[in-house]
Amino acid sequence: MANFVEVSSSQQFEDLLKKAGKSLSVVHFYAPWAPQCTQMNDVMAELAQDQPQVTFIKLEAEGVPEVSEKYEISSVPTFLLFKSCEKVDRLDGAHAPELTKKVQKLASSVAPAKGAEPPKEDLNDRLKKLISAAPCMLFMKGSPQEPRCGFSRQIVQILKEHNVYVNGELLGGLDIIKEMAESGDLETTCPKAVTLEHRLKSIINKSPVMLFMKGNKEVAKCGFSRQIIELMNGSGVDYDTFDILQDEEVRQGLKTYSNWPTYPQLYVKGELIGGLDIVKELKESGDLQSVLKGEN
């Protein structure tokens, strides 16, 4: 698609914004190792078909660091929307409906190029994409936050109580869901979603020594993470890392779970030790190695 391109330099990025002029440009700051970025690239491709007058740009955040730093990109995926080379909106995270809404709103004031007609997508293909857009997809009046009829309100409540996932298969309407809930079949048909707390505990206990940071052992992506990696490597104790830039849910959720608002965060045998300052203090006192081994 001519209106969906990838850039590999700051000059190419600036040239594309200038070329777009007053038309909308949507920039996806992504990382090739992040699955949510791959999913959002598919969303961008679909939007590019629907909005041929809009320029859609993929930019690898780590590959063009000067642009990422200029616009304070600290996590992926992040989307910036431009008009006349000026940033007009921003979206952090993999939120396809919100991105679509922003693009439609900002693109609506831009007239399509003469003779340009959006390609028509086959209805069946579009429906399949919608059905598979999320593990649990409910077609209803309104949204889960604001149902707009009694039937929608009831089915949302049932699904919330049972906390289920459905993978692309039609279960039925309200009556069917009610029957399945009453008989107990709903929970056996649809496995329960993993709660965020359960997921955090699982990641924390993945290794006896677990470090949550920006980046990983090989490539630290901020100064604080770089410093703590040096201290950890010097201890001689084996440890594992989790890159919070890959997962916004973990990044935000762990701050609440641990009641520790910053990163990096170090855990030993499932217990929070602290951040960089604590690790520095342990190193200076000579206690770091014994704490990492779980002896203290």
Side-chain angles (χ1 to χ4, degrees):
M1 273 170 284
N3 64 326
F4 186 26
V5 297
E6 180 160 11
V7 302
S8 55
S9 71
S10 58
Q11 187 60 56
Q12 187 184 5
F13 172 73
E14 290 171 8
D15 290 344
L16 277 172
L17 292 186
K18 288 176 183 175
K19 184 179 178 181
K22 294 180 181 179
S23 297
L24 179 65
S25 296
V26 183
V27 186
H28 177 199
F29 290 84
Y30 79 99
W33 37 258
Q36 60 269 43
C37 290
T38 302
Q39 294 168 3
M40 292 307 292
N41 275 334
D42 292 339
V43 173
M44 290 269 285
E46 192 169 341
L47 286 171
Q49 286 186 342
D50 293 338
Q51 303 284 350
Q53 76 277 25
V54 178
T55 301
F56 292 86
I57 300 169
K58 290 193 302 180
L59 188 151
E60 186 177 345
E62 295 171 20
V64 194
E66 58 270 34
V67 176
S68 299
E69 289 170 12
K70 179 179 179 180
Y71 293 102
E72 299 180 343
I73 306 301
S74 59
S75 63
V76 292
T78 293
F79 300 87
L80 298 184
L81 293 86
F82 292 84
K83 278 188 174 182
S84 301
C85 296
E86 295 292 328
K87 185 182 75 174
V88 294
D89 207 345
R90 176 179 180 131
L91 177 66
D92 294 283
H95 306 294
E98 187 65 23
L99 178 63
T100 301
K101 191 187 301 181
K102 287 179 181 291
V103 170
Q104 289 174 342
K105 179 182 176 183
L106 289 167
S108 62
S109 60
V110 181
K114 274 191 176 180
E117 290 185 9
K120 293 181 179 178
E121 185 178 8
D122 181 73
L123 179 59
N124 286 333
D125 289 340
R126 191 168 176 223
L127 290 173
K128 285 177 183 177
K129 287 179 181 178
L130 287 171
I131 291 167
S132 303
C136 182
M137 179 59 76
L138 174 65
F139 293 84
M140 58 180 287
K141 291 182 179 178
S143 66
Q145 294 74 33
E146 295 182 10
R148 293 182 185 169
C149 75
F151 298 129
S152 294
R153 194 173 298 112
Q154 290 180 60
I155 200 167
V156 165
Q157 186 58 40
I158 292 171
L159 291 176
K160 280 183 178 178
E161 288 173 357
H162 290 267
N163 199 26
V164 301
Y165 280 124
V166 186
N167 290 299
E169 297 295 329
L170 174 66
L171 292 186
L174 176 60
D175 290 342
I176 301 296
I177 298 298
K178 276 184 173 179
E179 289 175 9
M180 293 180 73
E182 289 168 4
S183 67
D185 290 338
L186 187 59
E187 293 191 24
T188 56
T189 303
C190 313
K192 278 185 171 289
V194 178
T195 65
L196 177 57
E197 182 177 354
H198 183 275
R199 188 167 171 239
L200 291 174
K201 286 180 179 178
S202 177
I203 298 171
I204 288 168
N205 291 285
K206 181 181 175 185
S207 171
V209 182
M210 195 72 189
L211 178 63
F212 292 81
M213 59 177 287
K214 292 181 179 180
N216 54 45
K217 286 182 183 181
E218 289 72 33
V219 183
K221 295 175 184 172
C222 78
F224 298 126
S225 294
R226 193 172 298 112
Q227 290 181 61
I228 202 168
I229 282 291
E230 290 174 359
L231 293 170
M232 296 292 291
N233 289 343
S235 72
V237 177
D238 192 32
Y239 66 98
D240 203 350
T241 61
F242 184 92
D243 184 358
I244 59 166
L245 298 180
Q246 290 190 41
D247 196 316
E248 190 65 18
E249 184 182 47
V250 169
R251 181 180 184 176
Q252 300 303 330
L254 190 61
K255 289 193 243 181
T256 303
Y257 176 85
S258 63
N259 197 26
W260 194 275
T262 59
Y263 289 100
Q265 291 185 22
L266 177 66
Y267 286 79
V268 175
K269 294 184 177 178
E271 297 294 326
L272 175 67
I273 302 301
L276 176 60
D277 290 343
I278 301 296
V279 173
K280 279 184 174 179
E281 289 174 9
L282 290 170
K283 173 68 175 176
E284 290 168 4
S285 68
D287 295 327
L288 180 59
Q289 192 173 50
S290 58
V291 168
L292 293 178
K293 289 180 178 179
E295 296 172 357
N296 284 359

